[in-house]
Amino acid sequence: MTRVRFVLAMAWRESRAARRRLLLFASAISIGVAALVAISSFTANLETAVRREARALLGADLALASSRPFTPPVQRLIDSAGQAGIAVTGRITFSSMAYVPRIPDRSRLADVRAVGRGFPFYGDVVTKPADRWRMLDTGRVAIVDTSLLVSLGARIGDSLVLGNSRFLIAATVVEVPGRLAGGVNSFGSQVYIPERYARETGLIVFGSRVSYSALLKFDRPSDARRFADRHGRQLRTERVRVQTAEETESDITSALDNMESFLQFVGLIALLLGGIGVASGVTAFLAGKLETIAVLRCLGARRPLIFAIYLTQAVVLGLIAAAFGSALGAGVQLVLPHLLKGLLPLDVRVTLEPMILLAGVGIGVGVSVLFALRPLLEVRLVSPLQAIRKAYETDQALPRDPWRLAALGLLAAGVLALCMGRNEDPRVGLSFAASIAASVLILTGTARLAVGAARRATTRRRVRERWPYVLRQGLANLHRPRNQTRAVVTALGFGVGLLAALYLVQANLLRQVSFTTARTAGRPNLVFIDIQPDQADGVQRTIREAGDPVLQAVPMVPMRITEVNGRGVQRLRTDSAARRPASWTLRREYRSTWRDTMVGSETLVQGAWWHGRGEGVRDSAGTMVFPLSLSTDVASDLHVGIGDRITWDVQGQPVVTRVVVLREVDWRRFEPNFFAVFSTAALEHAPCMWVVLTRVDDAGRRALLQRAIAERFSNVIAYDVALIQQTVERIFKKVAIAVRFMASFSLITGGLVLLGAVAAGRLQRIREGALLKALGATRRQLSRILLTEYLALGALSALVGVGLATLGAWAFVHWVLTLDFTLPVLSIGAVFVGTAALVAVVGLTASREVFRRTAMEVLRDI
Amino acid sequence: MLVATNLTKSYLSGGQPLTVLKEVSLEVEPGGFLAVVGPSGCGKTTLLGLLAGLDVPTSGRVQLDGQDLGALGEDARAQLRAEKVGFVFQSFQLIPTLTAQENVQVPIELRGHRHAARTGKDGESAADRARELLARVGLQGREHHYPAQLSGGEQQRVAIARAFANEPRILFADEPTGNLDAATGARVIELLTQLNRELGTTLVLVTHDPALAQRAAKVLYLHDGAAVTPSAPRPAAS
């Protein structure tokens, strides 16, 4: 028999009694591999879909978009492209209130897309009833989101009022390219109408937020690129955004990158937790094999041979577990697109990628072996003397084993390689590895402290004398030899921590979205915008006639910055990095207001507010300069302070201002807040629109008021805070479900590690239980000892997990989201109690043999 | 066959050096039968461990079949055991996950893969040889039983079959009857001495049972780690 055959045969025979237990240890790896394979496959499918549908997402090879009508030079450029044989169509997007005359008390915010003939050039439109899309070319029809019909109580065939026009609802839209891309606002339901009727709705008026697009279809994609290169500069100076299908692809890819990174991270964690499970399983398994190994050594087996036998077991086990995990992952990836439906801008077709499945198996085996290596090395240190005497004392301290250090190094290198390999950006890979290392260090460190605390507590005299026996024994179990406390706390703590952290971030975000206002009496919950100056009084009167208060009525003037301290925007953009203002401050269209006081959401930081109308003062050159108040954030990004001079382009008129007040703004309040506040004298004659805020508590009356305003002032848009909140919550829920689904993998792994740990100590437990029974312990006492142990273990895991989660979530909420962090004590308490209870139930269930077997039966077995 | 000179073994116990074996010397001829006798804790098992190369002495020398164990590393000693040494333990020490036959096969396979590598042939199959050995200790038909399915006496017979599997030059038996009743123990000893005679295997037996020691050609009495009488025809102790 050759050496290899002997090793294989021994590995196989030696695993006999423990195969089920070994598979349990290894199943943790399966879950990790499944998570990784599912995520990788899904990511690959997503990338394929983005590549495939990039043109369809844009609907064209090239799109030109602007927030104002195309200027004559731009229009000439588009026309000449059309004359050169390039297919051109258009799209105008704007908001409108929509309602159906037949239903008296409902109206809904709609996201109107007025599309030209031939739209879209790419991608399929599916309507219900089928094939009605082309009716847009000939009829006065609207094709709408199903959600609009539902919220209006309308049906196909009804007439839909948008502004001053009526359209026949011809169909609902099931699928349309670019559905989620390029919307002016994502809160409204989408309505498609023919482009030629856009103007007559009367909705495109001063101040309304409109996006104009021209869509071009070229014979070759490279032509689109060339067109963009040749005319990009000119178009950009005309404030036209140019986007090719390729850019759309990379935009979407980078938008999805964060999600992918996160999912990858979760998958890696699950896999590494599986590795911890394997390591603790192997340790426990080998602990029961010491005598066998000693006998084999007596019989003349050399150390490398014994190591090879157990390494073979680990490899085969890893292979089985990883193959199973890969298959499971292939199944799980079928679920992911459903969970993420509505969040993804395109349909993801699920295909199986053999390479990913294979890589999953390879990674699974690699992780199993890497984690098993260190405990496996211990078999080399088993002395043959242990076969003839159990308690074997050695006269020399164990030397620093270079192999063990090498195994640790290999493990660290493996984890690092895995992190780097799963991420294209090496920095992300490094930060993955660093966060994993930090988390594992914190978790194992805490577990170590806890084990030490349990040891000290149970050996303390006061405890020994006063605490009941079952409590002491249960706690002592946490630190006794061969305990699995560290593995369980690390794995479960991580799972619980990840889920709790997600929950905390979500809860904090949702709390912000609920705007506190919506639930606090006296704060606005209904906002009317895009009110023309001549409509302002009428809207307010309508609100008051309905018996509701006008909480605020604020004018808004759109404007841009042209100069700061005499330097033009172009020059400012090329300033040295230290002096250059943040680009958003120069690019954006400001919507500013005028007033003579501060409002509740503002705090004075520096300067003094002007009196009365705040008349302008002529400077030495004879220019009229008006006082201005800036919010601190825009002032710091613009690098300006009190006394600095800013020139604005207000609808073609230059308005020169000097900063006299800096104020801090609480942007979280759902109220009109402004970067720049002018004096009355500066803006009162500028073209403006109004925003009016009210509060109507009753939902039915709120709907009636919106409908009344929509009928009387067709261009006025209403934002119902409650509805926005619902929409945001719905999106969050979607994200949360997907994220929790993936995070649950680590929790399952944690559970498996727990099961494995219980199984590993099974024989020892049964013997101890039998001995305790023989010495007179009742089953009740036994169960209490075990209950104490598992409750303590669960509480410890939960404590560590929740602690880590709170820390992580706080850091994320505070530094990344820059919001105030609050701890939902009740829910987190529930997580804590739930985890402890779950661990107790799993532990007791897995230990039921301890109660079932009689003392005699077990003692005979010994 | 086996020569030990001035064997001393000390351990650190609770920080204090503890000498469990003091300057023990002995010699066994090829085919000879030595019994090591003494009360519990006198150092018998320690001596056995040193003689078989399971452990290294603090000072002194062991020569096994002409080879100085002190000159060999751990794995070289393991190889020597695989080729020349057999063991019988008090608690049988069968590998619980292997059947009786597989337990007996282990030494053959351990040696076999080295032999096969050298000679290029397996010769008689390990399984055949194991069955034959089991038959010789009276366990025909029990080849596929696991240790837990065998009685103590049967387990010890499997252990003896395993000990002789690689035709060792020397066999160490550590209290082989310690866990057996008198009648079963007697049969086990009968089997050991019979094989000792038939195969010419050198036998080193550790026991606290003076009656058992009487069957040996040579007896070493240990007391507190020291040899009381290196060699005597008959013990005067009670």
Side-chain angles (χ1 to χ4, degrees):
Chain A
M1 185 182 274
T2 65
R3 184 189 180 91
V4 174
R5 267 177 60 200
F6 176 69
V7 167
L8 289 178
M10 270 310 284
W12 172 246
R13 293 170 190 159
E14 233 298 283
S15 68
R16 251 171 211 151
R19 275 179 209 148
R20 268 174 53 195
R21 195 149 40 98
L22 285 173
L23 277 178
L24 179 66
F25 295 146
S27 57
I29 280 287
S30 302
I31 301 292
V33 169
L36 214 58
V37 165
I39 289 160
S40 302
S41 304
F42 175 69
T43 306
N45 288 336
L46 196 58
E47 274 165 15
T48 314
V50 170
R51 252 197 316 280
R52 192 183 58 228
E53 290 186 27
R55 286 201 303 190
L57 284 168
L58 198 61
D61 292 307
L62 185 81
L64 309 178
S66 177
S67 57
R68 54 183 190 179
F70 293 129
T71 54
V74 176
Q75 196 54 55
R76 273 199 298 279
L77 183 67
I78 295 169
D79 291 345
S80 69
Q83 283 153 13
I86 297 164
V88 179
T89 188
R91 180 181 60 198
I92 305 173
T93 313
F94 52 91
S95 292
S96 169
M97 294 310 285
Y99 62 92
V100 172
R102 186 173 62 81
I103 315 283
D105 57 350
R106 297 195 193 172
S107 57
R108 193 54 104 234
L109 180 64
D111 179 13
V112 183
R113 290 160 181 225
V115 296
R117 275 174 208 275
F119 176 91
F121 289 134
Y122 298 105
D124 300 322
V125 181
V126 181
T127 58
K128 189 178 162 191
D131 302 325
R132 295 215 167 159
W133 183 258
R134 288 272 78 97
M135 288 173 77
L136 288 171
D137 293 345
T138 52
R140 194 188 180 84
V141 296
I143 295 178
V144 305
D145 258 351
T146 317
S147 65
L148 187 77
L149 289 192
V150 173
S151 54
L152 290 181
R155 54 178 181 247
I156 289 165
D158 272 336
S159 79
L160 183 75
V161 179
L162 298 173
N164 301 329
S165 305
R166 292 189 177 204
F167 297 87
L168 178 78
I169 301 178
T172 58
V173 56
V174 178
E175 208 180 295
V176 63
R179 183 184 179 74
L180 291 169
V184 163
N185 77 71
S186 53
F187 296 120
S189 306
Q190 281 165 17
V191 174
Y192 292 86
I193 60 165
E195 187 187 18
R196 58 191 175 281
Y197 299 120
R199 292 246 156 234
E200 74 172 53
T201 57
L203 294 167
I204 302 176
V205 291
F206 172 75
S208 49
R209 284 138 317 133
V210 182
S211 167
Y212 300 85
S213 302
L215 302 165
L216 286 74
K217 180 189 178 189
F218 292 83
D219 291 336
R220 290 188 300 263
S222 57
D223 292 346
R225 182 74 265 153
R226 204 166 308 130
F227 184 94
D229 288 344
R230 192 181 314 147
H231 303 293
R233 201 182 163 82
Q234 180 204 350
L235 287 167
R236 273 188 289 275
T237 57
E238 300 282 352
R239 296 191 195 285
V240 174
R241 291 185 306 281
V242 184
Q243 191 164 38
T244 62
E246 294 155 30
E247 285 162 349
T248 310
E249 181 186 331
S250 78
D251 279 4
I252 294 176
T253 309
S254 64
L256 293 175
D257 267 353
N258 279 340
M259 184 186 75
E260 283 176 21
S261 293
F262 178 76
L263 291 178
Q264 289 278 13
F265 184 70
V266 172
L268 270 181
I269 292 289
L271 187 65
L272 295 177
L273 289 182
I276 293 177
V278 166
S280 79
V282 168
T283 307
F285 174 71
L286 289 178
K289 291 291 176 189
L290 291 183
E291 275 189 24
T292 298
I293 295 168
V295 171
L296 281 172
R297 298 272 287 125
C298 275
L299 297 177
R302 287 186 298 176
R303 288 176 299 185
L305 186 76
I306 291 174
F307 180 67
I309 289 170
Y310 290 97
L311 182 66
T312 307
Q313 284 185 354
V315 170
V316 172
L317 210 64
L319 195 65
I320 295 171
F324 178 69
S326 225
L328 190 66
V332 170
Q333 70 147 332
L334 300 176
V335 183
L336 275 177
H338 292 287
L339 289 176
L340 293 167
K341 206 172 183 171
L343 291 175
L344 299 174
L346 68 182
D347 283 331
V348 177
R349 282 181 221 155
V350 175
T351 53
L352 290 181
E353 308 261 350
M355 278 318 290
I356 290 177
L357 296 184
L358 271 180
V361 174
I363 290 174
V365 173
V367 168
S368 309
V369 171
L370 278 179
F371 275 89
L373 215 48
R374 213 175 94 92
L376 277 179
L377 281 171
E378 305 294 315
V379 304
R380 292 159 43 259
L381 303 178
V382 176
S383 162
L385 267 188
Q386 276 163 281
I388 51 176
R389 61 168 72 216
K390 295 250 162 87
Y392 163 65
E393 233 178 325
T394 167
D395 56 352
Q396 60 209 53
L398 270 180
R400 198 170 281 248
D401 186 355
W403 288 103
R404 209 181 308 178
L405 288 177
L408 256 182
L410 212 58
L411 178 60
V415 171
L416 186 65
L418 200 57
C419 291
M420 303 292 272
R422 306 299 295 178
N423 284 288
E424 279 170 23
D425 187 347
R427 278 171 311 176
V428 178
L430 268 182
S431 62
F432 262 34
S435 356
I436 288 170
S439 312
V440 170
L441 276 183
I442 292 177
L443 284 164
T444 49
T446 317
R448 199 187 285 257
L449 282 179
V451 170
R455 180 179 299 129
R456 277 192 301 280
T458 46
T459 48
R460 195 173 290 166
R461 193 161 154 206
R462 214 164 60 95
V463 171
R464 275 212 310 266
E465 282 168 3
R466 296 199 193 152
W467 287 21
Y469 168 71
V470 290
L471 197 61
R472 278 183 287 131
Q473 181 68 28
L475 285 181
N477 279 351
L478 290 182
H479 66 77
R480 61 154 164 211
R482 294 193 206 172
N483 71 74
Q484 299 287 311
T485 307
R486 258 195 285 166
V488 171
V489 169
T490 307
L492 264 183
F494 216 113
V496 171
L498 202 56
L499 283 177
L502 291 171
Y503 172 77
L504 283 174
V505 170
Q506 186 195 357
N508 271 282
L509 268 175
L510 282 181
R511 198 177 51 88
Q512 302 299 333
V513 202
S514 71
F515 303 121
T516 25
T517 42
R519 297 201 177 121
T520 316
R523 292 278 180 82
N525 66 355
L526 189 57
V527 180
F528 295 100
I529 64 165
D530 291 358
I531 303 169
Q532 301 300 303
D534 60 350
Q535 297 171 321
D537 287 339
V539 169
Q540 294 184 51
R541 203 176 317 119
T542 311
I543 293 171
R544 289 203 186 91
E545 279 165 7
D548 298 314
V550 172
L551 297 173
Q552 276 190 54
V554 186
M556 262 192 212
V557 180
M559 57 181 70
R560 289 175 193 276
I561 290 178
T562 53
E563 277 179 30
V564 176
N565 291 330
R567 296 156 69 81
V569 165
Q570 290 304 332
R571 258 188 76 192
L572 289 167
R573 283 204 174 115
T574 54
D575 251 348
S576 66
R579 291 179 55 193
R580 188 166 55 229
S583 78
W584 71 270
T585 56
L586 301 178
R587 208 177 47 232
R588 72 170 287 119
E589 184 182 70
Y590 290 81
R591 286 157 190 270
S592 307
T593 193
W594 69 81
R595 52 178 141 85
D596 53 11
T597 53
M598 283 196 296
V599 295
S601 56
E602 299 170 325
T603 328
L604 184 72
V605 173
Q606 201 185 348
W609 209 275
W610 52 85
H611 298 287
R613 292 173 35 81
E615 297 293 349
V617 181
R618 289 202 184 276
D619 67 1
S620 52
T623 312
M624 192 68 106
V625 181
F626 294 96
L628 176 77
S629 165
L630 277 187
S631 77
T632 46
D633 32 19
V634 75
S636 86
D637 278 4
L638 260 178
H639 303 312
V640 296
I642 299 286
D644 283 319
R645 194 165 138 144
I646 301 175
T647 307
W648 307 80
D649 171 7
V650 182
Q651 305 302 305
Q653 292 294 314
V655 174
V656 182
T657 57
R658 187 177 301 283
V659 181
V660 298
V661 172
L662 290 180
R663 79 216 129 81
E664 200 170 292
V665 178
D666 181 2
W667 296 101
R668 284 167 303 171
R669 293 243 207 134
F670 192 70
E671 282 167 34
N673 282 312
F674 299 91
F675 286 120
V677 175
F678 288 69
S679 69
T680 312
L683 287 188
E684 64 181 336
H685 299 301
C688 69
M689 57 200 168
W690 288 72
V691 175
V692 173
L693 288 79
T694 180
R695 178 177 185 92
V696 185
D697 283 319
D698 179 64
R701 287 190 45 240
R702 204 158 58 227
L704 279 175
L705 178 61
Q706 289 179 59
R707 175 66 176 253
I709 299 272
E711 284 183 15
R712 246 169 272 179
F713 310 97
S714 59
N715 60 296
V716 171
I717 303 294
Y719 279 121
D720 187 331
V721 177
L723 281 181
I724 294 173
Q725 196 177 320
Q726 279 169 19
T727 310
V728 174
E729 279 179 7
R730 203 170 54 234
I731 295 172
F732 267 118
K733 255 180 207 146
K734 275 266 175 202
V735 177
I737 287 173
V739 163
R740 275 186 199 155
F741 178 74
M742 292 317 300
S744 64
F745 277 79
S746 17
L747 198 65
I748 295 173
T749 313
L752 283 172
V753 173
L754 170 69
L755 271 180
V758 175
R762 188 178 134 265
L763 274 181
Q764 202 182 342
R765 295 296 162 91
I766 291 173
R767 281 179 195 175
E768 274 172 10
L771 275 172
L772 285 173
K773 275 185 194 168
L775 297 175
T778 61
R779 289 157 61 103
R780 201 182 156 82
Q781 281 170 316
L782 273 184
S783 65
R784 280 186 180 172
I785 291 174
L786 289 175
L787 187 67
T788 306
E789 176 183 354
Y790 289 119
L791 270 182
L793 202 59
L796 193 62
S797 310
L799 192 69
V800 174
V802 167
L804 208 64
T806 308
L807 210 66
W810 173 82
F812 186 77
V813 169
H814 186 82
W815 301 110
V816 180
L817 303 177
T818 58
L819 299 171
D820 291 333
F821 180 78
T822 52
L823 190 66
V825 178
L826 266 183
S827 328
I828 282 300
V831 169
F832 182 85
V833 172
T835 308
L838 193 71
V839 171
V841 168
V842 170
L844 285 181
T845 313
S847 322
R848 62 190 184 285
E849 218 176 335
V850 176
F851 313 112
R852 224 181 44 223
R853 308 261 297 252
T854 67
M856 252 341 273
E857 192 186 337
V858 181
L859 287 178
R860 258 197 220 110
D861 250 358
I862 290 179
Chain B
M1 182 66 215
L2 179 68
V3 183
T5 326
N6 295 332
L7 284 184
T8 299
K9 182 71 185 174
S10 317
Y11 293 109
L12 270 182
S13 180
Q16 300 292 315
L18 177 74
T19 303
V20 288
L21 211 58
K22 297 166 199 153
E23 307 262 321
V24 176
S25 300
L26 60 85
E27 192 176 346
V28 190
E29 308 300 316
F33 181 1
L34 169 75
V36 181
V37 193
S40 297
C42 70
K44 298 189 298 281
T45 302
T46 304
L47 177 63
L48 185 80
L50 294 177
L51 294 177
L54 302 181
D55 201 1
V56 284
T58 310
S59 66
R61 251 169 64 147
V62 180
Q63 268 187 305
L64 206 157
D65 201 19
Q67 270 186 292
D68 185 355
L69 292 187
L72 300 177
E74 263 214 78
D75 286 329
R77 294 203 304 270
Q79 186 164 346
L80 184 75
R81 282 199 296 277
E83 288 172 4
K84 297 181 178 170
V85 179
F87 275 102
V88 175
F89 305 95
Q90 175 175 7
S91 48
F92 325 135
Q93 294 291 22
L94 297 181
I95 296 173
T97 48
L98 305 189
T99 62
Q101 183 186 317
E102 285 166 352
N103 261 293
V104 177
Q105 263 169 254
V106 170
I108 306 172
E109 285 166 343
L110 272 177
R111 195 180 59 160
H113 75 253
R114 284 199 279 267
H115 272 210
R118 270 208 301 272
T119 60
K121 56 174 186 176
D122 277 359
E124 183 186 21
S125 93
D128 291 342
R129 172 106 179 100
R131 275 195 293 275
E132 186 189 311
L133 281 161
L134 282 172
R136 270 175 87 166
V137 297
L139 286 175
Q140 303 98 310
R142 312 297 301 268
E143 292 90 348
H144 299 300
H145 285 67
Y146 287 95
Q149 297 166 318
L150 300 171
S151 72
E154 285 169 335
Q155 286 190 47
Q156 196 59 304
R157 277 189 277 158
V158 175
I160 291 168
R162 180 175 73 182
F164 282 97
N166 58 351
E167 295 171 2
R169 303 290 309 276
I170 185 162
L171 183 93
F172 292 96
D174 180 21
E175 304 268 16
T177 59
N179 279 353
L180 301 174
D181 61 71
T184 317
R187 277 177 46 210
V188 163
I189 290 299
E190 194 52 51
L191 202 52
L192 276 177
T193 49
Q194 181 195 338
L195 290 168
N196 165 239
R197 281 193 307 274
E198 285 173 10
L199 301 172
T201 311
T202 312
L203 192 57
V204 177
L205 175 78
V206 165
T207 180
H208 62 267
D209 179 0
L212 203 55
Q214 283 177 8
R215 308 183 62 148
K218 220 171 185 180
V219 180
L220 177 78
Y221 289 93
L222 274 185
H223 190 78
D224 266 352
V228 181
T229 315
S231 166
R234 284 287 175 268
S238 62

